[in-house]
Amino acid sequence: MRVLATSLAAVVLVGCSTPQVWYQSGNSFDQTRRDLGGCKADSARLTNPLAMVNFGFALADDANKKDYINNCMIAKGYSLVDKNSLPAGVTGVLK
């Protein structure tokens, strides 16, 4: 249920012009950057034909990679939020 609510919030927020950031209460900026980097690295492997011979993702496009990164971050407990909605002094990592 929480994942569904977070997913819906992310979809609604996509249309906003304010920058979107990944945020999870209690995680540092550096930890968030590491987690996002890991999700991006995983998504890059999805489009590497040499790494994906057995998985059938060799033709994954940018939309698939973005979906993978978003789902990866949500699975790690992050939410994609409006940068201006963060508490004072808190920094999220840009999408």
Side-chain angles (χ1 to χ4, degrees), residues 24 27 34-36 38-39 42 71-78:
Q24 183 181 47
N27 271 15
R34 282 191 297 272
D35 288 342
L36 181 57
C39 290
D42 289 347
N71 289 331
C72 178
M73 290 297 283
I74 290 168
K76 292 178 182 283
Y78 290 92

Side-chain angles (χ1 to χ4, degrees), residues 43-61:
S43 76
R45 284 191 281 276
L46 294 179
T47 58
N48 180 342
L50 297 175
M52 298 308 298
V53 171
N54 296 324
F55 294 102
F57 290 116
L59 299 177
D61 60 13

